[in-house]
Amino acid sequence: LAELGLPPRWIGRVPHPPARLAVFLREALAFRPHLLQSSHCYANLYVALAGRLLGVCSVGAFRSDLTEWRSGSGAWARWQLGLPSGVIVNSQSSGAKIIQDHLAAPERVFMVPNRIDLRRFDADGSLGCASAHPGVRRPCAIFVGRLIRSKRTDVFLHSLSLARQRVPDLVGVVVGGGPESVGLEAAAVERGLCPD
């Protein structure tokens, strides 16, 4: 971005949301964007308010479990999802739940899948995790993220357990830390996923 003449600006050091919005507005006014996009739901309000004040399109984001997220957002949930011009979600179920709960109008919710083309991995037989035997590689599934309830690492472990019924040498790797780590380790042991 810097090479394109778009140096990133961090405004996180401003502790109060109204002051942070003012700094964000100042930066946006200097840049004069045609569109403002948030990459995390907690920033949707900044993007939506700045978009309205500048008269430009604002795109919010939602990448989480709606029930878990709503319990932490409370009354802000309706504003965070309803105020942007549109909201990008990464799962059909989240998008459907947002619409069902009237948090955003159906025509303003867009699904952009979070996925990769697995054919590239199938074509490259060298991909996988190292095993205990030198030169042997095993198929590998990896979760990377904070170990908090809303990331649904429990679903990853459940899916890994089911997949290992068909692919017994499948290895699972969880990269991250957080308050759910002890419970997730216990769940992995309970599902027979450890020590691999």
Side-chain angles (χ1 to χ4, degrees):
L1 288 174
E3 288 177 11
L4 295 172
L6 304 170
R9 305 255 196 247
W10 183 62
I11 61 168
R13 72 180 135 266
V14 180
H16 302 292
R20 191 175 293 157
L21 177 61
V23 172
F24 180 59
L25 271 172
R26 186 180 69 228
E27 294 289 338
L29 277 169
F31 186 73
R32 286 291 187 200
H34 298 285
L35 174 124
L36 293 168
Q37 180 179 341
S38 169
S39 61
H40 293 284
C41 199
Y42 68 84
N44 286 359
L45 274 178
Y46 296 112
V47 165
L49 292 171
R52 287 179 183 236
L53 292 169
L54 297 174
V56 300
C57 180
S58 61
V59 179
F62 185 78
R63 303 177 301 159
S64 188
D65 176 69
L66 190 65
T67 304
E68 288 292 325
W69 171 77
R70 279 186 95 169
S71 68
S73 292
W76 290 106
R78 186 163 308 282
W79 296 97
Q80 289 172 328
L81 294 173
L83 205 53
S85 307
V87 177
I88 294 175
V89 298
N90 66 347
S91 76
Q92 291 177 341
S93 61
S94 290
K97 186 74 172 144
I98 287 169
I99 293 166
Q100 176 188 331
D101 289 2
H102 305 289
L103 295 170
E107 65 274 8
R108 292 177 39 230
V109 178
F110 302 91
M111 211 277 277
V112 176
N114 233 2
R115 65 178 181 204
I116 56 174
D117 184 357
L118 294 178
R119 292 173 295 188
R120 291 180 58 205
F121 291 89
D122 292 339
D124 185 349
S126 69
L127 294 175
C129 292
S131 73
H133 306 287
V136 176
R137 303 206 45 93
R138 297 170 63 185
C140 185
I142 301 173
F143 169 90
V144 179
R146 287 182 298 141
L147 300 182
I148 57 175
R149 177 173 259 162
S150 65
K151 297 293 183 182
R152 299 308 310 263
T153 315
D154 60 319
V155 174
F156 172 78
L157 294 177
H158 177 70
S159 301
L160 184 63
S161 176
L162 292 175
R164 287 184 75 178
Q165 292 174 14
R166 294 188 66 189
V167 184
D169 64 339
L170 176 65
V171 175
V173 178
V174 175
V175 180
E180 298 288 313
S181 62
V182 172
L184 291 167
E185 287 174 16
V189 169
E190 183 179 309
R191 293 182 182 280
L193 298 173
C194 293
D196 302 356

